[in-house]
Amino acid sequence: MNKLVRCFLGIMIGLSTTAQAQSNKEIMYIGTYSLRGSEGIYVFEFDRSKGTMQQLQAVSNAKSPSFLALHPSGNYLYSVNEGADKSGGVSAYGVDKATGKLQYLNGQSSLGSGPCHISIDQTGKTAFVSNYGGGSLAVLPINADGKLSAAADSVQDVGSGPNTQRQEKSHVHSATLAPDNRFVYVANLSTDKLNIFETDVKASTVKPASTPYASVKPGSGPRHFTFHPNGKYAYLVEELTSSVAVFSRNPKTGALTLIQDGVKTLPDDFTGQNTSADIHIDPSGKFLYQSNRGYNALAIFSIGNDGKLTKVGDQPTEGKNPRNFLIDPKGDFVFVAHQDSDNITIFKRDQKTGKLTYTGQSVKVPAPVCVIMAKR
């Protein structure tokens, strides 16, 4: 073998090794409350081979950039600014695809106080912002350069529920787009309803669907909502009763039919205070996870062929107040953000059983409340 060939092979092996190392590293974004020294949004690099996270950047935002969403292109990131004034706030950031780092682009009003959730439609043309304090939904156009325009539409909800402390007025908690991008489902914690809207993402407007809402038990408190990968079933966090509701979905009309209600997420012997928060399904569609704050654990369910849930177990999350969590797109890891103990814990996931094992990795982040991962 001559020197030229050996040199060429050496270069190719070096490039392959570098590419393999880079393929093991993925970018993560953490939204926080502006408490205990939090700088705003944190950018981390996750090394899949080692199961570790390393901070790359802290992006200054003193208005509690709590919930985050990535643009479908991966070129932009959006945050609600929950600590903004009564007109609310939303920020847009450009993403450096080479490094994952963020640069501020612009901001807009969310037309209501306490914006707590944002979602982006699949075309990347429209953002849907839920105002918890204002009890409303704002619909904002996204420009070709990723910047946000002023809201083109909004819906003010009204109503209350039997829990006089938490359901005293309208509290819109999330807006979740259907897999077909035709409907958006808006959870109101106070009215115990999921309002259903048809979307026009080109015009950034919404209108009530032919079946305009689905109801759950009074006092249950709808919070976050997710769809099964097959699109036939959907699952709702009932925050105030620490339970989950299961729906089948009509893809033509968007209507929901309740097929399993008030499924308990807590052990029978738990007697403390608890509220449920986040909900996710693994990529295979076999298991569902829901976070419980107070019990400080993830409830684990298997999903039947009929969409119904069977409790598998509970996994302590190694922190206090597990708000948001992430199942990585490959289904191998789960990351749990703890609002009150200022840490994100990492778990390995058994894809056959759905069970979790704590890796011993805990990353310090002040008041983390949202964790997402960039698509590769």
Side-chain angles (χ1 to χ4, degrees):
M1 186 181 293
N2 62 43
K3 291 184 179 180
L4 182 61
V5 173
R6 285 199 300 269
C7 181
F8 175 75
L9 288 175
I11 291 171
M12 293 305 294
I13 291 170
L15 289 174
S16 176
T17 302
T18 301
Q20 186 176 9
Q22 289 176 342
S23 69
N24 285 327
K25 296 180 179 180
E26 294 151 276
I27 300 300
M28 302 177 67
Y29 299 97
I30 314 299
T32 70
Y33 281 137
S34 298
L35 300 170
R36 299 185 292 278
S38 173
E39 295 183 62
I41 300 172
Y42 290 80
V43 184
F44 277 83
E45 185 177 67
F46 174 62
D47 188 323
R48 183 174 292 273
S49 62
K50 297 179 180 178
T52 58
M53 294 170 61
Q54 180 178 355
Q55 184 178 322
L56 299 179
Q57 184 188 23
V59 182
S60 179
N61 183 330
K63 295 184 178 180
S64 291
S66 58
F67 205 86
L68 311 176
L70 276 164
H71 191 273
S73 69
N75 293 325
Y76 312 105
L77 180 137
Y78 302 90
S79 78
V80 295
N81 299 322
E82 199 164 340
D85 60 25
K86 62 183 180 180
S87 64
V90 193
S91 295
Y93 299 86
V95 176
D96 183 326
K97 295 297 282 287
T99 65
K101 292 184 178 181
L102 303 178
Q103 183 173 0
Y104 178 77
L105 295 178
N106 80 324
Q108 293 287 353
S109 167
S110 65
L111 305 183
S113 64
C116 65
H117 186 275
I118 183 168
S119 54
I120 311 297
D121 92 282
Q122 293 172 21
T123 70
K125 295 180 179 178
T126 300
F128 299 85
V129 181
S130 302
N131 294 302
Y132 182 85
S136 63
L137 173 74
V139 188
L140 285 74
I142 298 174
N143 300 328
D145 61 1
K147 292 181 179 179
L148 294 162
S149 289
D153 199 1
S154 64
V155 179
Q156 179 65 56
D157 207 355
V158 294
S160 58
N163 186 323
T164 55
Q165 289 187 322
R166 294 294 309 280
Q167 296 181 309
E168 80 289 359
K169 65 173 185 176
S170 175
H171 291 303
V172 173
H173 219 310
S174 65
T176 306
L177 285 140
D180 59 17
N181 214 44
R182 294 178 52 225
F183 300 92
V184 63
Y185 296 79
V186 181
N188 191 320
L189 181 132
S190 298
T191 63
D192 298 308
K193 290 180 179 179
L194 272 168
N195 294 315
I196 308 171
F197 296 94
E198 291 186 34
T199 64
D200 183 338
V201 295
K202 291 183 179 179
S204 296
T205 58
V206 296
K207 66 178 182 179
S210 56
T211 301
Y213 63 86
S215 296
V216 290
K217 288 181 181 179
S220 56
R223 182 182 170 94
H224 283 196
F225 189 58
T226 192
F227 288 92
H228 191 279
N230 66 18
K232 295 179 180 179
Y233 306 107
Y235 303 83
L236 173 69
V237 172
E238 297 174 311
E239 176 180 343
L240 303 180
T241 52
S242 302
S243 53
V244 55
V246 183
F247 299 88
S248 62
R249 176 177 174 269
N250 183 322
K252 292 184 178 179
T253 66
L256 299 173
T257 300
L258 191 63
I259 61 174
Q260 200 179 14
D261 190 21
V263 181
K264 291 178 58 177
T265 65
L266 293 169
D268 291 336
D269 59 357
F270 179 75
T271 58
Q273 296 295 317
N274 186 84
T275 54
S276 290
D278 199 15
I279 188 168
H280 294 287
I281 295 173
D282 79 298
S284 73
K286 294 179 180 178
F287 297 97
L288 178 141
Y289 302 79
Q290 184 163 310
S291 60
N292 278 315
R293 303 171 293 180
Y295 183 52
N296 296 330
L298 296 185
I300 307 171
F301 295 88
S302 63
I303 303 174
N305 292 332
D306 59 358
K308 293 184 178 180
L309 301 176
T310 301
K311 186 79 176 287
V312 170
D314 298 281
Q315 174 62 51
T317 57
E318 309 296 334
K320 188 177 180 182
N321 196 348
R323 177 120 168 205
N324 184 250
F325 65 97
L326 166 73
I327 303 173
D328 92 89
K330 293 183 179 180
D332 294 328
F333 291 91
V334 174
F335 307 83
V336 185
H338 297 95
Q339 178 181 334
D340 291 345
S341 53
D342 299 338
N343 66 322
I344 295 170
T345 49
I346 305 175
F347 297 81
K348 280 284 289 183
R349 196 181 78 88
D350 186 316
Q351 299 206 23
K352 292 183 179 179
T353 66
K355 297 291 185 67
L356 305 178
T357 303
Y358 180 44
T359 66
Q361 293 290 328
S362 178
V363 180
K364 292 294 291 181
V365 180
V369 290
C370 183
V371 51
I372 61 175
M373 181 178 282
K375 293 180 179 179
R376 295 181 59 117

